[in-house]
Amino acid sequence: MGAYQLKITIKGSKPPIWRRVLVPEGITFEKLHRIIQTAFCWTDDHLYEFEFRSEGVRVALNKEGRLGEFEYVSTSAAIDQLVSGTSKFTYIYDCGNNWEHVIQVEDRITDYKESFAQVVKFKGDSIPENCGSLDGYYVLLEQSSNKIKPYDIGSINKCLSNKQEQEKVYMKDIYNCYDKNSLLEIGRRHHVSGLSKLKKEELVDQIIDRILDKEAMSSYFLCARDSEIDLFEQIIAGNHKVPDSKSEEMDFLYAGGYVTAGADDSFMAAAEVIKAYKTWKTPEFEETRRRLSKISDCLLAANTLYAVTPPSVVLETFNKYEDTKLTHNELLQAYELLLPYRCLVEYVDGNFADGALIEQNGLKELLKMQKKVPYYIPDLSEIRSMADNSGFIMTKELDRFGSFLIEEMNVPEDRIPYILHQVQAEISTGGQLQDVIDDLEEAEVIFENDEQTKAFSSIINDVWNHTRMVLNRGHKPYEMVMKGLEDKSVQRRNAEKVYPNDPCPCGSGKKHKKCCGKKN
């Protein structure tokens, strides 16, 4: 988690009275206000306002929209967009006494480890909040310095850390910040109908009632994977930072409305969610959930490898690694539990079939094309990898292809995962070389010379031969030959010199000069 280094100075104080504070990214203006109150030993008894004059923005309680020359923003808004875009802004507390503070944004700390604010340096003693403004403070100082308390930075920082631990966020606070479409998505996720005509306040109440219902909540959490529950447990324990590499694993609970996202990959769970979760989560529930998670992983792996899977193959895969054997009836019961929330397959004509394939009416065609060979049974590491990556299987050949795209084709690194997923999916489901080239062109990857084309040809052949294919029931092309499942090799080889009028090697039926040769 990152932090901003803010120097907060009472305007007009001579000598200057200030506090240098490290403030975590992603907090709201309401929380920043409470941090400032604690840093100056005040009691939060009065109204306050932030002003970003150069941006024409003010942040105030119960004010939103344009009023006069300023655009008003809610105090529940995150500070990042405004604070990160300025070098100085103003904080005004108690309009009667008019305690005005100049806040300088001195630095942004990228490796801040704490989830709470800290005062790192200060100048000036504690000022009594109700002494009658800065002039009153100086009068008090002249009359009796005994009434002015020395500033105790240790106690202040202890208070700041304790307040972080005590703070809670509530569901209404979270949902009131969502727009109506986001709320409707959560409602649909939990199969709640008749919400579209409700006003936002009514919508918030109904969704909260639904997702906190014991049966609804336990059914949803029952479908969570082990890694998702591990991260949720981390969050409710107070560690809100989720590594960027794991942030996608929060999607399931986020879509269900049980966690909310903050800035810089932080997540929070509402107090009501935490309380309810701890009420019904028992060792028996957790044992059932863990077993269901393993069944779900096997179904996802089977869908990735075969697209159409007999229950017997799922049973064989699961029971290969588990002592407590899975039965046909338990498998179907598990499927029914997973179906409403996260199942990608449908049980059709005695098989688990890919949902997208059924939608496209491609089931019969696939079964005609799929080779009648034994199903490849993945090992545990493959099952977990496919489940962790939504079916994607990273190979050293794909990794090499990614490096080629970055180093030789100047493809931005952040686009590489998408391209590799597309290429693997195309090859796995029976696509041809031209389909891969078309996908690359759509991703704006164009081969501009013979050297690039030749290097691509060599690399894509390796990728092809080491991709687990649906048409081979999960086997790689070279495995089909090694295991004697095909009479002759179907592996792709580096193409020899192809002349313009030769048939194109991609199999399109066109002359090379009218197909890949033209593109290259």
Side-chain angles (χ1 to χ4, degrees):
M1 179 182 290
Y4 301 103
Q5 181 175 299
L6 307 179
K7 183 179 181 182
I8 308 169
T9 306
I10 296 180
K11 187 175 181 179
S13 57
K14 295 179 181 180
I17 299 169
W18 52 265
R19 314 289 184 247
R20 179 168 287 125
V21 187
L22 298 182
V23 174
E25 292 178 329
I27 64 171
T28 65
F29 281 102
E30 169 64 25
K31 187 167 182 180
L32 177 57
H33 156 69
R34 293 197 299 269
I35 289 169
I36 296 172
Q37 289 290 298
T38 303
F40 281 87
C41 306
W42 291 346
T43 58
D44 192 11
D45 282 340
H46 305 283
L47 294 176
Y48 66 95
E49 186 172 271
F50 292 93
E51 183 179 290
F52 295 79
R53 178 162 288 277
S54 60
E55 289 80 7
V57 174
R58 282 178 176 167
V59 182
L61 194 64
N62 299 325
K63 287 185 182 180
E64 288 187 64
R66 179 159 290 279
L67 294 172
E69 62 177 307
F70 286 96
E71 181 75 22
Y72 278 80
V73 174
S74 170
T75 56
S76 63
I79 68 172
D80 300 82
Q81 184 173 355
L82 286 167
V83 171
S84 63
T86 191
S87 60
K88 185 184 294 186
F89 60 104
T90 302
Y91 168 74
I92 302 168
Y93 174 66
D94 186 1
C95 295
N97 289 319
N98 198 39
W99 291 108
E100 188 171 345
H101 303 67
V102 177
I103 303 180
Q104 291 177 278
V105 184
E106 294 185 321
D107 198 3
R108 180 176 178 270
I109 313 301
T110 58
D111 58 348
Y112 189 65
K113 305 298 184 185
E114 308 298 344
S115 57
F116 48 83
Q118 295 183 75
V119 178
V120 294
K121 201 169 184 180
F122 70 96
K123 187 171 184 180
D125 293 322
S126 299
I127 301 178
E129 179 176 353
N130 296 312
C131 64
S133 78
L134 196 58
D135 290 339
Y137 165 68
Y138 288 127
V139 170
L140 186 64
L141 195 60
E142 288 177 3
Q143 291 176 346
S144 176
S145 60
N146 292 332
K147 292 184 179 180
I148 306 301
K149 295 180 180 178
Y151 192 75
D152 186 347
I153 190 172
S155 297
I156 296 300
N157 280 331
K158 184 176 181 181
C159 187
L160 284 169
S161 63
N162 286 339
K163 280 193 173 184
Q164 171 66 25
E165 293 172 3
Q166 294 164 8
E167 279 179 2
K168 294 180 180 179
V169 59
Y170 293 92
M171 298 198 74
K172 276 203 172 183
D173 298 329
I174 295 171
Y175 283 11
N176 283 336
C177 295
Y178 288 2
D179 60 34
K180 191 171 182 180
N181 286 334
S182 298
L183 293 169
L184 289 173
E185 281 296 321
I186 296 173
R188 283 191 283 269
R189 183 77 172 173
H190 292 276
H191 311 287
V192 184
S193 58
L195 297 177
S196 58
K197 295 182 180 180
L198 296 179
K199 294 180 180 178
K200 184 176 177 181
E201 186 176 341
E202 297 171 320
L203 183 59
V204 166
D205 289 339
Q206 284 216 22
I207 292 176
I208 290 175
D209 286 344
R210 171 65 175 176
I211 73 172
L212 288 180
D213 175 77
K214 180 180 178 180
E215 183 177 348
M217 188 175 180
S218 60
S219 295
Y220 196 86
F221 272 80
L222 195 63
C223 297
R225 300 184 63 237
D226 291 350
S227 57
E228 294 164 349
I229 289 294
D230 289 344
L231 287 173
F232 181 73
E233 296 273 4
Q234 166 197 311
I235 289 166
I236 67 176
N239 182 1
H240 303 291
K241 173 73 173 179
V242 173
D244 184 58
S245 60
K246 294 185 176 181
S247 60
E248 287 187 6
E249 294 185 40
M250 297 307 304
D251 288 352
F252 179 71
L253 293 175
Y254 180 82
Y258 292 110
V259 297
T260 187
D264 197 29
D265 298 317
S266 63
F267 289 84
M268 295 185 73
E272 303 97 317
V273 171
I274 298 172
K275 181 179 179 181
Y277 174 77
K278 290 180 177 179
T279 299
W280 51 254
K281 187 208 172 190
T282 62
E284 293 75 20
F285 172 87
E286 184 60 11
E287 183 179 350
T288 302
R289 188 204 59 74
R290 286 189 177 277
R291 186 167 174 86
L292 186 62
S293 178
K294 293 175 182 177
I295 297 171
S296 175
D297 288 355
C298 285
L299 282 170
L300 190 149
N303 192 51
T304 299
L305 294 171
Y306 329 122
V308 181
T309 314
S312 59
V313 176
V314 181
L315 295 174
E316 181 182 354
T317 304
F318 185 93
N319 291 334
K320 182 176 181 179
Y321 306 109
E322 295 295 321
D323 294 331
T324 305
K325 303 306 179 186
L326 181 65
T327 66
H328 185 272
N329 285 340
E330 186 187 359
L331 174 59
L332 294 183
Q333 289 170 1
Y335 162 74
E336 293 294 337
L337 290 171
L338 292 165
L339 185 60
Y341 303 117
R342 73 178 318 152
C343 209
L344 295 174
V345 298
E346 294 183 32
Y347 192 59
V348 179
D349 298 330
N351 289 317
F352 295 108
D354 182 83
L357 192 66
I358 293 171
E359 279 187 19
Q360 297 163 10
N361 297 316
L363 191 58
K364 291 183 180 179
E365 188 65 26
L366 173 68
L367 290 173
K368 286 180 184 178
M369 296 171 60
Q370 201 168 48
K371 296 169 183 175
K372 309 305 179 187
V373 296
Y375 291 87
Y376 170 77
I377 304 300
D379 61 35
L380 269 179
S381 63
E382 287 178 302
I383 294 170
R384 288 172 184 152
S385 179
M386 283 185 274
D388 288 341
N389 296 284
S390 302
F392 178 70
I393 309 171
M394 189 57 164
T395 64
K396 63 181 182 180
E397 292 78 19
L398 274 173
D399 187 51
R400 180 185 167 211
F401 184 40
S403 298
F404 164 75
L405 292 175
I406 294 170
E407 297 165 8
E408 303 298 331
M409 304 298 296
N410 298 315
V411 177
E413 193 168 348
D414 61 352
R415 289 171 55 202
I416 297 302
Y418 169 78
I419 294 173
L420 297 186
H421 278 68
Q422 287 291 103
V423 168
Q424 184 175 86
E426 193 72 73
I427 296 172
S428 173
T429 53
Q432 299 298 311
L433 178 59
Q434 187 59 49
D435 297 316
V436 173
I437 293 173
D438 290 344
D439 286 343
L440 291 174
E441 287 190 349
E442 284 184 18
E444 300 179 353
V445 179
I446 309 295
F447 303 110
E448 298 177 347
N449 53 57
D450 289 342
E451 287 76 16
Q452 289 178 345
T453 304
K454 185 175 180 180
F456 164 73
S457 176
S458 173
I459 293 170
I460 203 66
N461 286 339
D462 285 341
V463 171
W464 209 289
N465 293 329
H466 290 83
T467 296
R468 299 210 172 277
M469 296 190 177
V470 166
L471 296 185
N472 294 343
R473 288 182 171 173
H475 295 282
K476 300 175 183 179
Y478 87 90
E479 288 177 340
M480 295 285 285
V481 177
M482 297 297 293
K483 295 178 180 180
L485 300 175
E486 283 195 325
D487 294 334
K488 59 180 181 179
S489 174
V490 292
Q491 299 180 68
R492 299 193 68 85
R493 302 187 184 281
N494 290 345
E496 298 178 359
K497 175 69 175 175
V498 181
Y499 294 93
N501 289 316
D502 287 348
C504 191
C506 76
S508 66
K510 300 178 182 179
K511 290 183 179 180
H512 182 58
K513 68 181 180 181
K514 296 290 187 181
C515 190
C516 296
K518 180 180 180 182
K519 294 177 182 293
N520 292 336

